[in-house]
């Protein structure tokens, strides 16, 4: 008499396998979220535009927003549509170490090839420091460290090993294992997807808070008429990505945008949390006006 | 106890100001949120309110209960506020001494009811029920009115004082509402302030309005929350701080036509200065003549 | 004295243009639908008409400006309805 669940056959066994795997992944992920929220806080506030961009979409996005911020501050300007230069008479500039590194890159002549900024050692070091700061705060995880994935990686590995052993045993005793192989592949894929979000639960909460807070600002910016000067553009880009800007602004940036493989980010779209749907509806009603 | 040391000044949170508030939350001691707009909010949307309440004290401000009415406030509205209070854990919640509906008629606006013993009794019953359902008593705000409510046998300060005393509830004194009523109905604003139950005032609103005119040229001051608080409102705040023995939580309200965020924070700072001047005046007076002081709960 | 009925008349004045016109033409007649004392009717009859005009104007402007659609209205909550 084979022990449970090996005494099950066919679809019953597959169902048991699927339910057990799903339960293990869900519990492991929930346990990890609980731990991460305890470390990073339930809704931390991030205010630096470069940190926000890195939180949303990785290191290269932080560099891109640093360049945008420098331009918004008037520290760099466009000599031609595709060439940046520092503002005359400015020896140094930028509100953060990453902005200062980006400014220095342009000052050294890098403005002629803006996309090279993503490979410049000084700039990438500064961007890595931003990323490291977010890891220290418990907002993003380094997927290759044990600390970043305690619980989930071992769980996934244990699951895969367990079911591989089961698969071999079943195969060796005769029954077909095709569907079981498919299920094993799906479980592995689900586990990898669960790992793919570089943000911790705290990081997701922080980004969600930003998107809700900046929702009206995003609507205002995206509806701005052509030629408007938009003081919110840098922060809106940091929170939502370049797609949130109106067309007349978006078209100015393709030549200095990073490539999409931005070092652990999720791209400029939503990742783990969607765009804000608005809070309080369109405005707060009549308030208390008499 | 130095009640002035516990005075706080903050801003009414609005979606249009949310981004700026997120970036500069340290400029404020407290935020006030319009509760009715959050009653149907999703868990995700409420996460923002909970996040705010972890960073800074948050007060909920209701506008739809219609507590000051001879009619009974609907249970559903009290339940909605109770659920929101439970989910957000604010430090306080407030509502208005106004009626907003009658029978099936939704006025959609805060209106002054007839000021008479019957509405005093009705308000007290509603306030006590609200406190029992929500778990804490609301802080109650005076309202501005463009017409003196008919069938009134009590003046506004007397009516407000009777309600608050019988309900044992604290007061949110809206200084622009007080100023508007004084201007519109021929009272001296300072004397009107003195006539209010200042010993119950724990919260204050500052806002602004504009003059509106009938076809016959009759002018009234409308409290529309779309303008900067005028100088007399800050003077009233200073006067209140000089008279009050309670710690005061002051909130600047703005519902639209938003100026730059720096303008709003400058008004918040101006309120801090007015409070400090009032407290200093009280300290000078009490150094001559000691007085008993109390701190807010 | 019925403050509730006075509130009812005020609510109708603020929201119903047809009733308001009838009231301003003949307050006593318009108030017959409510259980009001003679004193209350007299007090209502001497209502501040300028204030009423301005209050109604402000309320109508606010109602017109209120966004339509699925946005949560300030006064949309009735028995748990949003």
């Amino acid at each position: 008499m084979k022990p449970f669940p090996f005494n099950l056959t066919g679809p019953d066994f597959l169902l048991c396998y699927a339910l057990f795997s799903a339960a293990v992944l869900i519990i492991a992920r929930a346990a990890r979220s609980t731990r991460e929220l305890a470390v990073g806080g339930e809704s931390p506030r991030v205010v630096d535009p470069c940190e926000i961009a890195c939180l949303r979409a990785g290191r290269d996005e932080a560099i891109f927003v640093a360049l945008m911020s420098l331009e918004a501050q008037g520290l760099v300007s466009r000599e031609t549509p595709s060439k940046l230069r520092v503002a005359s008479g400015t020896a140094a500039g930028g509100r953060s170490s990453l902005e200062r590194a980006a400014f220095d890159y342009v000052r050294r002549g890098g403005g002629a090839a803006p996309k090279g900024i993503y490979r410049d050692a000084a700039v990438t070091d500064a961007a890595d420091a931003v990323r490291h700061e977010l890891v220290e705060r418990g907002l993003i995880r380094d997927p290759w460290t044990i600390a970043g994935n305690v619980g989930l990686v071992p769980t996934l590995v244990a699951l895969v090993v367990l079911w591989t052993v089961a698969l071999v045993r079943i195969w060796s005793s005769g029954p077909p294992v095709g569907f079981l192989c498919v299920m094993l592949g799906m479980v592995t894929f689900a586990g990898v997807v669960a790992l793919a979000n570089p943000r911790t639960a705290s990081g997701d909460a922080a980004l969600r808070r930003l998107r809700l807070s900046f929702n009206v600002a995003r609507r205002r910016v995206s509806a701005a008429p052509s030629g408007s000067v938009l003081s919110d553009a840098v922060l809106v880009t940091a929170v939502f990505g370049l797609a949130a800007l109106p067309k007349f602004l978006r078209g100015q940036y393709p030549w200095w945008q990073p490539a999409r493989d931005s070092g652990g980010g999720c791209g400029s779209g939503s990742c783990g949390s969607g765009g804000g749907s608005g809070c309080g509806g369109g405005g707060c009603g009549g308030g208390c006006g008499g | 106890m130095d009640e002035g040391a516990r005075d706080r000044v903050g801003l009414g949170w609005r979606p249009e100001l949310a981004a700026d508030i997120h970036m500069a939350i340290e400029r404020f001691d407290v935020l006030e949120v319009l509760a009715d707009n959050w009653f149907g909010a999703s868990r995700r949307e409420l996460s923002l309110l909970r996040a705010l309440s972890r960073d800074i004290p948050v007060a909920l401000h209701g506008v739809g209960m219609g507590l000051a009415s001879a009619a009974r406030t609907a249970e559903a509205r009290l339940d909605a506020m109770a659920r929101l209070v439970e989910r957000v854990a604010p430090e306080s919640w407030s509502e208005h001494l106004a009626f907003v509906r009658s029978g099936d008629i939704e006025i959609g606006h805060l209106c002054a009811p007839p000021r008479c013993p019957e509405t005093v009794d009705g308000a007290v019953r509603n306030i006590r029920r609200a406190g029992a359902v929500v778990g804490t008593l609301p802080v109650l705000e005076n309202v501005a009115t463009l017409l003196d409510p008919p069938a009134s046998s009590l003046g506004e300060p007397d009516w407000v004082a009777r309600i608050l005393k019988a309900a044992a509830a604290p007061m949110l004194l809206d200084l622009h509402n007080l100023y508007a009523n004084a201007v519109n109905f021929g009272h001296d604003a300072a004397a009107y302030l003195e006539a209010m139950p200042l010993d119950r005032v724990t919260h204050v609103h500052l806002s602004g309005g504009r003059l509106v005119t009938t076809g016959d040229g009759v002018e009234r001051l409308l409290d529309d929350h779309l303008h900067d608080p005028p100088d007399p409102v800050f003077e009233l705040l200073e006067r209140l701080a000089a008279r009050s023995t309670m710690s005061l939580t002051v909130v600047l309200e703005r519902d639209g036509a938003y100026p730059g965020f720096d303008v709003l924070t400058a008004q918040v700072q101006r309120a801090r200065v007015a409070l400090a001047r009032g407290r200093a005046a009280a300290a000078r007076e009490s150094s001559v003549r000691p007085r008993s002081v109390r701190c807010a709960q | 004295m019925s403050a509730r009925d006075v509130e009812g008349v005020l609510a109708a004045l603020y929201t119903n243009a047809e009733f308001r016109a009838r009231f301003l033409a003949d307050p006593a007649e318009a108030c017959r639908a409510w259980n009001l004392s003679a004193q209350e009717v007299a007090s209502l009859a001497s209502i501040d008409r300028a204030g009423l005009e301005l209050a109604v104007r402000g309320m109508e402007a606010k109602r017109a400006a209120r966004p339509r659609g699925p946005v949560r209205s300030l006064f949309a909550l009735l028995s748990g309805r949003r």
Side-chain angles (χ1 to χ4, degrees), chain A residues 288, chain B residues 8-14 17 21 27-34 61 141 172-176 203-209 223 225-230 233-234 237 249-256 258-272 275:
Chain A
C288 312
Chain B
R8 300 178 304 172
V9 186
L11 184 64
W13 187 97
R14 304 289 184 268
L17 304 175
I21 290 172
R27 297 188 193 182
F28 311 107
D29 304 319
V30 63
L31 292 176
E32 185 185 81
V33 173
L34 293 176
H61 190 52
E141 180 181 351
L172 190 165
L173 182 59
D174 188 307
L175 288 174
H176 191 260
H203 292 67
V204 179
H205 273 175
L206 306 178
S207 61
D223 175 62
H225 290 199
L226 302 178
H227 296 79
D228 299 338
V233 165
F234 289 103
L237 178 61
T249 297
V250 180
V251 170
L252 174 70
E253 288 187 297
R254 190 69 176 244
D255 291 346
Y258 298 102
F261 197 66
D262 286 347
V263 172
L264 292 176
T265 54
Q267 290 167 6
V268 166
Q269 187 54 29
R270 189 176 174 188
R272 292 192 207 283
L275 282 168

Side-chain angles (χ1 to χ4, degrees), chain B residues 37 39-40 45 63 69-70 76-77 80 99 102 105-109 111 118 146-147 150-151 213-215 220, chain C residues 1-4 7-8 14-15 43-44 48 50-54 57 62-63 66 72 74-75 77-80 82:
Chain B
N37 288 336
F39 286 152
E45 289 167 336
V63 295
S69 169
R77 296 183 182 273
F99 80 109
S102 179
I105 301 176
E106 286 290 334
I107 305 172
H109 199 88
C111 300
E118 199 176 337
L146 288 169
L147 69 91
T213 313
T214 67
R220 295 280 155 87
Chain C
M1 184 159 186
S2 170
R4 193 182 296 208
E7 289 175 21
Y14 289 141
T15 59
S43 180
L44 283 162
D48 171 6
L52 178 62
E53 175 190 333
L54 292 170
R57 191 195 301 169
K62 201 183 271 188
R63 273 194 285 271
R66 198 163 286 157
R72 283 183 285 278
L74 189 62
F75 294 104
L77 181 64
L78 277 173
S79 300
R82 284 176 47 186

Side-chain angles (χ1 to χ4, degrees), chain A residues 55-228:
Chain A
L55 176 70
R56 175 180 55 81
R59 189 189 70 182
D60 285 359
E61 285 288 316
I63 296 171
F64 173 64
V65 165
L67 275 178
M68 274 192 80
S69 179
L70 289 173
E71 189 185 30
Q73 295 172 65
L75 295 170
V76 304
S77 59
R78 296 163 199 249
E79 190 174 314
T80 69
S82 60
K83 189 176 173 185
L84 290 173
R85 64 168 180 182
V86 299
S88 59
T90 310
R95 289 191 275 241
S96 65
S97 55
L98 176 54
E99 286 187 12
R100 286 190 287 274
F103 178 88
D104 196 55
Y105 173 82
V106 177
R107 186 185 57 77
R108 284 186 271 119
K115 284 210 194 241
I117 198 172
Y118 301 103
R119 294 183 298 278
D120 181 80
V123 174
T124 54
D125 282 350
D128 283 338
V130 170
R131 199 169 177 290
H132 181 72
E133 171 66 20
L134 294 177
V135 171
E136 289 292 303
R137 287 174 64 180
L139 301 182
I140 61 176
R141 65 175 78 91
D142 187 338
W144 307 114
T145 64
I146 293 172
N149 286 286
V150 165
L152 200 56
V153 167
T155 303
L156 187 64
V157 168
L159 258 183
V160 171
V161 166
L162 175 70
W163 291 113
T164 303
V165 167
L167 191 153
V168 169
R169 284 193 64 179
I170 293 167
W171 181 46
S172 64
S173 59
V177 295
F179 285 113
L180 190 56
C181 290
V182 170
M183 291 288 270
L184 182 60
M186 288 170 64
V187 166
T188 307
F189 177 75
V192 170
V193 167
L195 285 172
N197 184 1
R199 286 187 297 273
T200 64
S202 275
D204 279 344
L207 187 61
R208 184 165 51 241
R209 178 178 181 175
L210 281 161
R211 287 182 163 152
L212 288 169
S213 296
F214 278 81
N215 190 48
V216 171
R218 180 187 65 156
R219 288 206 299 263
R220 188 172 57 233
V221 163
S222 66
S226 179
S228 308

Side-chain angles (χ1 to χ4, degrees), chain B residues 163-179:
Chain B
I163 292 173
L164 296 180
K165 184 178 178 188
M171 183 175 189
L172 190 165
L173 182 59
D174 188 307
L175 288 174
H176 191 260
N177 287 352
L178 180 145
Y179 176 64

Side-chain angles (χ1 to χ4, degrees), chain B residues 34 36-42 45 63-65 68-72 74 76-77 80 83 99-102 105-114 116 118-119 125 145-153 185 212-216 218-220 222, chain C residues 1-16 19 23 34 36-37 39-63 66 71-82:
Chain B
L34 293 176
D36 295 57
N37 288 336
W38 294 84
F39 286 152
S42 65
E45 289 167 336
V63 295
M65 277 187 188
S69 169
R72 182 181 165 96
R77 296 183 182 273
R83 281 195 299 272
F99 80 109
V100 299
R101 64 186 58 82
S102 179
I105 301 176
E106 286 290 334
I107 305 172
H109 199 88
L110 298 161
C111 300
C116 57
E118 199 176 337
T119 55
R125 280 194 302 270
T145 180
L146 288 169
L147 69 91
D148 223 358
S152 294
S153 56
F185 304 111
V212 289
T213 313
T214 67
D216 299 332
V218 175
E219 267 188 347
R220 295 280 155 87
L222 171 68
Chain C
M1 184 159 186
S2 170
R4 193 182 296 208
D5 287 289
V6 174
E7 289 175 21
V9 173
L10 288 172
L13 283 172
Y14 289 141
T15 59
N16 188 324
F19 172 77
F23 175 89
W34 284 272
L36 297 166
S37 67
Q39 193 180 9
E40 287 165 339
V41 172
S43 180
L44 283 162
S46 61
I47 198 169
D48 171 6
R49 294 191 174 207
L52 178 62
E53 175 190 333
L54 292 170
V56 167
R57 191 195 301 169
M59 291 179 197
E60 287 176 346
K62 201 183 271 188
R63 273 194 285 271
R66 198 163 286 157
V71 169
R72 283 183 285 278
S73 163
L74 189 62
F75 294 104
L77 181 64
L78 277 173
S79 300
R81 177 169 62 87
R82 284 176 47 186

